[in-house]
């Protein structure tokens, strides 16, 4: 009897364990988009992406549905895909014209301060009218420089790039794009013409600057015509000197504004002129200043502003519906602290499209395959079919935007590549191959 009880007990325990183990096994999921989609497989099975971190999302705008995904919930360093977030912030906060300058008057004095507008005296932009307004004022010019409360460079920027054209300093009132432009026969602004010295010999001609002052130096000797921009160190005193030299009249500093002072805003260029340059040539300085202008718009009491204020506002008030929280640190994408997911970028592209439903205007802001901007030499076709923003850093290449198929459908896409060790040109060609196939066969 005891032996029978033992046998029954062990049989019961064995059955219980088998049942428990069976119930703990993961259930086999039904086939999903991820496991069967041919567009996903173009990315997932690419030998070029084999050793890199790749993510992809494709969305049909007409059907309002996701077409394909591959690691679209993973976070990637976006590089200049960040400018898509900056563009959306500007579209929501800045209106049709650039808020170029704030000012008030007292007696015969004009007191003015910057809003972040990057266009004043910029060598590649048309005159905005701000210069004429200052020059034609009949009284005293008083410049208030203390409304920008941020740092000169963004978080996560490479400190060693301080002298490279793409990393100009941040400020409330940029002048000349915050760079010195050197050519074979000219230096602009001209007050820097005696600041250049020869630092040594090299086979390669290069211009640079001392890190903490405006002493510029060259190595080597130019063998052909050149134009090179080197950022200068900004300061209130230097801004006043630059304005005085260009306006041909005295500009004095004022270090305090009356609390609650009423002011007016001088409007500048149409906002799209700024967006097109920012998106076409991936102008980092313009992108950073867009976020500063957004912060300035929020700073209605002139307490002081910095980019973090506008980034936090847009995240909390305008981007709460993204699938994944954006880790967003600057306006340009120079920061490697930025992290976005492909599926969040798809949602952002939807929001941008809703904000600018005029395709001609929207696509005109983007780099256009075969026609304009950073993808001018790719996606060549009789009719452009890619309208997008590139993003490039060392070991980072991303492309996100709008794709028009041969059947006329509009697709949203985001392709993000990080941590590759092959040449960027190889990654770029593979992205082009995949998007071209989708264009032709979707």
């Amino acid at each position: 009897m005891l032996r029978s009880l033992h046998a029954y007990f062990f049989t019961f325990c064995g059955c219980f364990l088998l049942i428990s183990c069976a119930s703990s096994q993961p259930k086999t999921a039904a086939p999903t988009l991820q496991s069967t989609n041919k567009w996903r497989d173009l990315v997932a099975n690419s030998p070029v992406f084999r050793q890199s971190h790749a993510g992809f999302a494709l969305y049909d705008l007409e059907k309002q549905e996701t077409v394909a995904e591959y690691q679209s919930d993973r976070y990637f360093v976006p590089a200049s895909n960040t400018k898509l977030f900056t563009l959306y912030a500007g579209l929501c906060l800045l209106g049709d014209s650039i808020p170029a300058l704030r000012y008030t008057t007292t007696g015969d004095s004009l007191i003015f301060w910057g809003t972040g507008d990057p266009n004043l005296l910029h060598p590649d932009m048309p005159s905005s009218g701000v210069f004429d307004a200052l020059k034609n004022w009949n009284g005293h010019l008083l410049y208030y420089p203390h409304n920008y409360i941020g740092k000169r460079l963004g978080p996560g920027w490479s400190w060693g790039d301080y002298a490279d054209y793409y990393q100009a300093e941040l400020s409330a009132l940029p002048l000349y794009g915050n760079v010195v432009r050197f050519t074979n026969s000219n230096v602009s602004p001209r007050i820097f013409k005696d600041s250049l010295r020869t630092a040594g010999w090299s086979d390669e001609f290069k211009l640079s600057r001392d890190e903490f002052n405006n002493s510029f130096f060259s190595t080597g000797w130019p063998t052909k015509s050149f134009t090179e921009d080197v950022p200068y160190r900004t300061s209130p005193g230097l801004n006043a000197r630059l304005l005085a030299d260009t306006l041909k009249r005295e500009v004095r500093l004022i270090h305090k504004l009356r609390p609650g002072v009423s002011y007016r805003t001088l409007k500048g260029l149409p906002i799209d002129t700024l967006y097109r340059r920012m998106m076409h040539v991936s102008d980092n300085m313009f992108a950073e200043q867009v976020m500063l202008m957004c912060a300035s718009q929020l700073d209605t009491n002139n307490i002081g502003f910095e980019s973090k204020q506008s980034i936090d506002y847009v995240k909390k008030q305008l981007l709460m519906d993204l699938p994944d929280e954006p880790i967003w640190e600057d306006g340009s994408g120079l920061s490697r602290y930025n992290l976005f997911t492909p599926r969040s970028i798809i949602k952002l592209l939807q929001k941008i499209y809703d904000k600018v439903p005029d395709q001609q205007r929207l696509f005109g802001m983007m780099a256009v395959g075969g026609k304009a901007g950073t993808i001018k030499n790719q996606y060549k076709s009789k009719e452009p079919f890619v309208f997008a923003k590139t993003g490039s850093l060392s070991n980072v290449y991303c492309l996100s935007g709008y794709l028009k198929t041969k059947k006329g459908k509009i697709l949203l896409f985001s392709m993000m590549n990080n941590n590759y060790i092959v040449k960027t040109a190889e990654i770029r060609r593979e992205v082009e191959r995949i998007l071209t196939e989708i264009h032709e066969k979707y």
Side-chain angles (χ1 to χ4, degrees), residues 178-189:
N178 284 352
V179 298
V180 182
R181 175 160 291 180
F182 295 91
T183 67
N184 297 74
S185 58
N186 189 47
V187 177
S188 177

Side-chain angles (χ1 to χ4, degrees), residues 260-276:
V261 63
S262 60
Y263 61 87
R264 295 181 179 180
T265 300
L266 180 64
K267 295 294 185 177
L269 295 171
I271 197 76
D272 283 7
T273 60
L274 188 154
Y275 293 152
R276 281 194 295 270

Side-chain angles (χ1 to χ4, degrees), residues 409-420:
K409 291 181 177 291
I410 301 299
L411 305 177
L412 317 184
F413 72 90
S414 180
M415 294 195 68
M416 308 188 77
N417 300 88
N418 283 187
N419 301 343
Y420 56 81

